[in-house]
Amino acid sequence: MITVKDLHKSFGDLEVLRGIDYEVAESEVVCVIGPSGSGKSTLLRCLNQLEEVTAGTIIVDGNDLTDPKLDINAVRTEIGMVFQQFNLFPHKSVLDNVALAPRRVRRISRAQAEERARALLAKVGLADKADAYPEQLSGGQKQRVAIARALAMEPKIMLFDEPTSALDPELVGEVLEVMKDLAIEGMTMVVVTHEMGFAREVGDRVVFMDGGVIVEEGTPDEIFGNPQSPRTKDFLDKVL
Ligand code: ADP
Ligand code: MG
């Protein structure tokens, strides 16, 4: 589903990604862990072209993102993204937040978009919040709306950038539960997270990044149970 080859990304003189190679298969859940500033968000943002890459190749579902002839908007609709900050439209109802993009981008009717939106809200456990406004929701509920909104575009891939980092601890579980359900349904997912329990339980593969490179990757058992690199060990010692 995703192939990244020798990806480099610089901001001016600062080289943030220094040769990243990795692949994500269909239905695979890859969790990306690593210290702050290691380039995790930049990597995700390159995957849906929120950042232009400096060098290297990214192929998403057969589309070479670095091909200038590519219709990037078409590829972008295949990729859903959920951020630490929920970025909901504050003046729109929950239902509108979920139904809006499909109506505008996919040009489906209002009735159909709203019917789908209601189904997605039910899926994330918020069927009763369709008419609420974001400010009336808890952080966990907002993030579940943001997930429903991303799913409304029927993406083939979901990218999550620390989706639970802004939440009060007691609200983290409800969001991780929704993400786990998605994983079980076979969604292809790349999840940047500090939730090591989630990475261990739900991740098919764990990627450890530090200093703009992938230091080590493997199954959760390999990374958590028997890390090879001293940098991985050191990081895990600090967070576990
Ligand atoms: P992480 O998500 O692992 O914490 P980031 O990808 O956000 O790391 O950032 C990696 C490095 O790139 C940091 O040093 C950060 O300051 C820098 N960086 C990120 N975005 C920009 C930008 N738009 N302009 C300049 N530097 C940036
Ligand atoms: Mg980040």
Side-chain angles (χ1 to χ4, degrees), residues 58-124:
I58 303 176
I59 296 168
V60 173
D61 194 24
N63 301 288
D64 180 351
L65 298 193
T66 47
D67 179 352
K69 295 194 294 285
L70 180 78
D71 176 5
I72 184 61
N73 287 321
V75 179
R76 239 180 225 154
T77 61
E78 293 189 11
I79 305 176
M81 182 131 185
V82 174
F83 302 90
Q84 183 174 338
Q85 302 304 335
F86 326 113
N87 302 325
L88 298 178
F89 303 118
H91 303 300
K92 302 272 184 205
S93 70
V94 163
L95 188 70
D96 281 347
N97 263 281
V98 179
L100 217 56
R103 280 175 59 201
R104 296 218 172 129
V105 181
R106 294 240 195 255
R107 304 260 168 221
I108 66 174
S109 72
R110 180 185 194 119
Q112 205 188 348
E114 290 188 350
E115 188 187 318
R116 281 229 318 257
R118 285 185 196 282
L120 286 168
L121 288 171
K123 184 186 170 86
V124 300

Side-chain angles (χ1 to χ4, degrees), residues 40-41 82-84 143 160-166 192-194:
K40 307 180 298 296
S41 294
V82 174
F83 302 90
Q84 183 174 338
Q143 194 58 300
F160 293 87
D161 192 356
E162 298 193 27
T164 60
S165 292
V192 174
T193 187
H194 294 297

Side-chain angles (χ1 to χ4, degrees), residues 26-30 123 151 158 160 175-189 191 198 201-204:
E26 191 168 357
S27 293
E28 197 176 23
V29 177
V30 174
K123 184 186 170 86
L151 292 174
M158 285 284 283
F160 293 87
V175 173
L176 294 181
E177 214 39 56
V178 166
M179 292 167 61
K180 187 176 158 187
D181 288 345
L182 267 184
I184 291 168
E185 286 171 20
M187 179 62 80
T188 306
M189 296 167 50
V191 184
F198 179 87
E201 186 193 354
V202 181
D204 295 306

Side-chain angles (χ1 to χ4, degrees), residues 11-12 14 16-17 34-43 45 51 161-162 192 209:
F11 295 105
L14 181 67
V16 172
L17 299 180
S36 179
S38 56
K40 307 180 298 296
S41 294
T42 304
L43 175 61
R45 292 167 61 80
E51 300 288 356
D161 192 356
E162 298 193 27
V192 174
M209 279 183 73

Side-chain angles (χ1 to χ4, degrees), residues 21-23 28 30-31 205-209 214-220 222-223 228 232:
D21 290 277
Y22 82 114
E23 299 197 352
E28 197 176 23
V30 174
C31 291
R205 214 141 41 80
V206 176
V207 167
F208 172 66
M209 279 183 73
I214 293 176
V215 174
E216 186 168 351
E217 65 172 295
T219 64
E222 287 165 350
I223 298 293
Q228 298 300 304
T232 315

